[in-house]
């Protein structure tokens, strides 16, 4: 795997990825072999999470940056570069990432229909349509602070911080 990764990544790029994601050299080389996405029921939904706005293909660096959101939050404040960007695995960046997974039309809000579509993709075979609708309704009702049957990222962030 190490030799394969070295042909895909320049040392300079590897070091930049390590700095951006907090992943180790061995983790990056191991993940390099997993870079191919497989077909699954939520494939398009997952793939959309890997596409930065305006880009139409996934690259290895973007793949690792997305995976970095799932790293545990170790003490980011101590290791954070004061002049640098917020770590990808910070609490607020994790929330922004999760929000983007549900905001299917990328209008910066999650509607009941979007929430229902994601729930259907994730659990349809195990839960009835009526139960899914009820879950979506309760979730929107609990999180909707504007009274327009939607969830907004700014409201969600403000409630958490």
């Amino acid at each position: 795997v190490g030799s394969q990764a070295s042909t895909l990544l320049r040392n300079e790029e590897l070091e930049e990825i390590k700095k951006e994601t907090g992943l180790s050299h061995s983790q990056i080389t191991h993940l390099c072999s997993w870079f191919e996405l497989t077909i699954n029921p939520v494939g398009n939904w997952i793939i959309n999470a890997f596409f930065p706005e305006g880009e139409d293909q996934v690259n290895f660096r973007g793949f690792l940056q997305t995976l970095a959101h799932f790293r545990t939050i170790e003490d980011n404040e101590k290791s954070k570069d004061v002049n640098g960007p917020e770590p990808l695995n910070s609490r607020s960046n994790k929330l922004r990432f999760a929000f983007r997974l549900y905001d299917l039309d990328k209008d910066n809000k999650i509607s009941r229909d979007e929430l229902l579509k994601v729930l259907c993709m994730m659990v349809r075979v195990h839960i009835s349509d009526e139960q899914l609708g009820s879950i979506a309704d309760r979730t929107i009702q609990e999180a909707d602070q504007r009274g327009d049957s939607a969830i907004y990222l700014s409201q969600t962030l403000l409630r958490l911080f």
Side-chain angles (χ1 to χ4, degrees):
V1 173
S3 62
Q4 179 186 4
S6 63
T7 61
L8 293 175
L9 299 171
R10 300 181 327 272
N11 282 337
E12 177 183 298
E13 187 176 19
L14 182 64
E15 290 303 316
E16 288 173 2
I17 291 170
K18 282 172 53 177
K19 186 176 179 180
E20 289 171 355
T21 64
L23 296 169
S24 71
H25 184 278
S26 62
Q27 288 170 321
I28 293 169
T29 54
H30 182 73
L31 287 168
C32 192
S33 65
W34 287 16
F35 183 53
E36 287 185 27
L37 297 175
T38 59
I39 297 172
N40 64 58
V42 293
N44 288 336
W45 178 56
I46 292 169
I47 289 170
N48 285 333
F50 289 90
F51 287 102
E53 198 65 37
E55 292 191 23
D56 61 353
Q57 60 181 319
V58 178
N59 62 38
F60 186 62
R61 188 178 202 155
F63 172 72
L64 290 180
Q65 288 170 339
T66 298
L67 290 180
H69 287 91
F70 298 101
R71 289 182 49 239
T72 57
I73 300 172
E74 292 165 348
D75 190 357
N76 283 337
E77 292 305 312
K78 288 182 182 176
S79 63
K80 183 179 175 183
D81 178 0
V82 180
N83 298 321
E86 185 176 18
L88 292 171
N89 67 325
S90 70
R91 192 171 177 195
S92 60
N93 276 333
K94 285 180 185 225
L95 181 60
R96 283 183 192 94
F97 177 78
F99 188 91
R100 285 194 327 256
L101 290 175
Y102 287 84
D103 184 15
L104 301 175
D105 63 4
K106 302 191 185 317
D107 65 352
N108 296 317
K109 66 181 180 181
I110 301 169
S111 67
R112 179 191 184 278
D113 288 340
E114 287 172 313
L115 182 56
L116 195 53
K117 284 178 187 175
V118 172
L119 289 172
C120 284
M121 284 188 281
M122 292 171 29
V123 295
R124 170 163 254 157
V125 296
H126 302 292
I127 299 177
S128 72
D129 288 345
E130 184 178 303
Q131 290 171 314
L132 287 174
S134 178
I135 292 168
D137 289 338
R138 281 192 316 242
T139 303
I140 294 291
Q141 182 180 13
E142 289 176 16
D144 178 16
Q145 293 187 341
R146 294 186 185 180
D148 63 352
S149 298
I151 303 169
Y152 294 83
L153 182 60
S154 59
Q155 292 172 333
T156 308
L157 280 173
L158 288 173
R159 287 176 54 195
L160 290 175
F161 296 104

